[in-house]
Amino acid sequence: MTTLAQGTGPSTSLPATMRAVVCHGPEDYRLEELPIPQPGQDELLIKVEAVGVCASDVKCYHGAAKFWGDENRPSWAQKGIIPGHEFVGTVVAAGEQALAQRSLALGTRIVCEQIVPCEECRYCRRGQYWMCAPHEMFGFRGFNGAMAEYLLVPSRARVHQAPPDIPAHHAAFAEPLSCALHAVERADIKFEDVVVVAGCGPIGLGMIAGARSKSPAMVVALDMSDDKLELAKKCGADLTVNVAREDAIQIVKDLTDGYGADVYLEATGHPSAVAQGLNILRKLGTYVEYSVFRSEATVDWSIIGDDKELNVLGAHLGPHCWPAALRLLESAKLPMDEICSHQFFLEGFLDAINLVGNPAGGSVKVSILP
């Protein structure tokens, strides 16, 4: 049996249709009227409150092949899919089984992890669900995303209750924040470490906050925007460096008796930041990569091995970090009104995507409020 929300509002029934952004191919996203999906016994239906727009959404909109200059590399977004993976919403209808299994009630605000793991592949069986082999994700492949008024949450989705009293676009920031915290966990930061974070966008700011919570000796933030560097200070950076005007490598070496940083977290997605990180690190330092790149990065790999014996790690999604991200958002310790810099209605979805894709646009986190 499917249960409809009773709530406290004037209406207890749902409309028949909803507005949604649909991918028809690269640079062909359309706002359409679609039937509202009906949840099965093990599914939830949420009314979307907010959905963030990230660099991967921009990459998919333009087509990954276009960004890479390689027509054999497919675009990430599946045609016919509704994009949007950073979202928060309220449960308005559900199968009784879904509510019971998740200990939820109608009217509960939830967020969902981006990945919808298959629970059957090698990685899922080993508990490494975020590397699921089929890799079905909200808004990219397999499952519709949240650039719509309503979203169907499948039984395999990983769901977390969200704080009810913070703005919706702040709650939707749980997705990029959990990703940033996962990168910090990968770095295994120690108390005496000097940590450098490259890039003060949404992921970088989350990395700064996460790194600061580990109590290292110093957190250094790098960016080309003075405004974003000011935000970095509010998120916990001890020192900021504008790489457009200052020599970050020399500054860090001067701070560390010539040795270099212990940890480098890369969040710019710019190829030059990769070489910067390898050169800014001390011997036996740790490099963690978490970015969406638009072009390939070429580096001298002898720095990694023969010169410094670096630990070079990747980070993907935000496994096991969602509760911490939600607690951090609820604590009001982050300057969320400044981080969540721009909001658009659903009709302005293309303006939102273009703003995220414009480095000179002055945005930090852009959100759509359906």
Side-chain angles (χ1 to χ4, degrees), residues 285-308:
T286 297
Y287 180 116
V288 180
E289 181 58 62
Y290 201 130
S291 281
V292 176
F293 284 84
R294 296 191 182 188
S295 57
E296 295 176 346
T298 301
V299 298
D300 179 0
W301 276 72
S302 62
I303 299 172
I304 298 169
D306 187 49
D307 291 358
K308 294 187 176 181

Side-chain angles (χ1 to χ4, degrees), residues 201-223:
I203 296 292
L205 293 172
M207 288 176 173
I208 291 164
R212 172 44 54 213
S213 72
K214 298 290 185 179
S215 298
M218 179 174 285
V219 178
V220 182
L222 313 181
D223 204 280

